[in-house]
Amino acid sequence: MKKPYKCQNCGGSLYSPKDRFCPWCGSPLALQMSPAGKAIITLLACFGFYALYFAITVGAEFIHELCIVRDLPGFPQIDIDEFYSKISERYCEVGILSAVSVLLVFFLIFKVRHKNFGEEVRLNLISGGSFCGLTVLGVAGQFAISIGLCVLYAFFPSMSEFSAGETFEKILANANPISEILYLGVITPLLEETLFRGIIYTRLRKILPVPAAIVLSAVAFGAAHGNLEQFVYATFMGLIFAAALEKFDSLWAPFAVHFAFNFSSCFAVLLPENPLELIAILLISAGLFMLTFAFLFLAKNKPIKAGNNNDEAL
């Protein structure tokens, strides 16, 4: 005899997976799927959210660049330095606008599906002490990676061709300092954590073991940066971000690390040029990173839930 389906609300036995409403309590019935079907739907949902993010952000950059290029003298043959100079004047403002637009679209998608956005992306509260500790982790990670790359390129100059630092310096050369801090330090981490941890990772862990979901979401995060240098360290930090979400059960945990990581990059220009001093700071930063990581991830944490809605994710 075929095993009956169960209503998640009242537990009543159902023999037809095609029924839309429970004959016992009348509540809507969730669609019954095989594990493979659930995995495919979940992956398609993750891809759909990423495609929206990509389309809106890249589309905004393209329109901005097109407007700049058409206004430059000598179009279509333009001076590349002048192009970067013009782009940098409003690059952060365009980035902020596109990021807010993506977040708004995500919110509306959850709203239309009658799901609580805060609960779905795990906007639970964490203690102030945990948040501060996670920012220390982010700062230490930024300096360890930045100085590590400087030391690496100093000993292996040929590898500097993979560096994206010069391009970003041009893009941000004439940026408004307040807009730059807001865009890089606050808006970008909020958007990326919402997408890659709150949406993608949270869904992947429903169909994969947690370690596999952490690795896959981190690789997706690294690949989104579009260059080899950032792919390597963004993938590494993506592992830390996902582990923070898993440990604290709150999107504010990876946001704290990401915020501190990006924000502290604004002060990388203050680093000394002496190789010995750089190596000393590298060792201190790496040690602080490992100590903070061990302390935070070995401690017990009890996040405050955003709500009690148990709706399934998209």
Side-chain angles (χ1 to χ4, degrees):
M1 184 176 179
K2 188 175 180 180
K3 184 178 179 180
Y5 291 97
K6 297 283 188 178
C7 173
Q8 296 180 353
N9 184 45
C10 69
S13 297
L14 311 168
Y15 286 87
S16 173
K18 296 182 180 180
D19 290 340
R20 297 184 61 187
F21 298 93
C22 175
W24 304 99
C25 68
S27 62
L29 298 175
L31 179 64
Q32 300 291 337
M33 290 188 193
S34 65
K38 290 180 179 179
I40 292 173
I41 293 297
T42 298
L43 291 175
L44 287 175
C46 291
F47 178 79
F49 279 109
Y50 178 79
L52 281 172
Y53 157 79
F54 183 83
I56 295 174
T57 55
V58 174
E61 290 181 8
F62 176 77
I63 294 173
H64 179 218
E65 292 176 3
L66 183 63
C67 294
I68 294 296
V69 167
R70 291 180 62 86
D71 291 339
L72 288 177
F75 175 79
Q77 296 182 353
I78 60 174
D79 182 84
I80 191 65
D81 291 330
E82 186 176 1
F83 170 74
Y84 275 118
S85 177
K86 290 293 185 180
I87 286 292
S88 66
E89 292 177 0
R90 292 290 180 269
Y91 179 81
C92 293
E93 286 81 355
V94 172
I96 292 172
L97 179 61
S98 65
V100 172
S101 299
V102 174
L103 289 171
L104 180 60
V105 170
F106 287 171
F107 176 81
L108 291 176
I109 290 175
F110 284 98
K111 189 71 174 177
V112 168
R113 294 182 61 86
H114 304 289
K115 295 181 180 292
N116 188 304
F117 182 74
E119 293 175 2
E120 294 292 336
V121 301
R122 300 161 75 177
L123 282 176
N124 305 317
L125 301 178
I126 58 175
S127 68
S130 296
F131 190 92
C132 291
L134 289 163
T135 60
V136 173
L137 186 69
V139 172
Q142 172 61 246
F143 281 101
I145 290 174
S146 296
I147 298 173
L149 289 173
C150 291
V151 173
L152 178 66
Y153 295 149
F155 283 99
F156 303 97
S158 61
M159 297 188 66
S160 61
E161 64 181 279
F162 299 109
S163 175
E166 184 177 346
T167 300
F168 283 104
E169 287 180 3
K170 290 181 178 180
I171 290 177
L172 299 173
N174 298 321
N176 181 286
I178 296 177
S179 298
E180 181 179 352
I181 291 174
L182 181 61
Y183 174 57
L184 296 179
V186 180
I187 301 298
T188 296
L190 183 60
L191 171 61
E192 292 180 346
E193 291 313 309
T194 300
L195 173 63
F196 290 100
R197 257 63 62 180
I199 294 177
I200 292 180
Y201 169 71
T202 298
R203 280 148 186 75
L204 289 177
R205 73 189 295 272
K206 294 179 180 295
I207 61 171
L208 296 172
V210 169
I214 288 177
V215 171
L216 187 56
S217 64
V219 171
F221 176 61
H225 288 75
N227 61 81
L228 181 60
E229 178 188 85
Q230 286 187 299
F231 170 77
V232 173
Y233 73 74
T235 298
F236 170 74
M237 292 305 299
L239 298 174
I240 304 299
F241 297 152
L245 176 59
E246 188 64 29
K247 171 64 179 179
F248 292 86
D249 191 28
S250 171
L251 192 70
W252 296 118
F255 171 78
V257 186
H258 202 158
F259 154 75
F261 185 90
N262 282 18
F263 181 80
S264 57
S265 66
C266 300
F267 302 96
V269 294
L270 303 178
L271 292 172
E273 298 182 359
N274 187 295
L276 294 178
E277 293 180 351
L278 283 176
I279 292 175
I281 298 175
L282 171 61
L283 294 175
I284 293 172
S285 299
L288 180 61
F289 180 87
M290 290 186 288
L291 287 173
T292 307
F293 182 88
F295 176 78
L296 288 170
F297 285 79
L298 290 177
K300 294 183 179 179
N301 303 283
K302 296 181 180 180
I304 304 172
K305 300 294 183 180
N308 297 317
N309 191 343
N310 294 320
D311 290 341
E312 291 184 359
L314 286 173

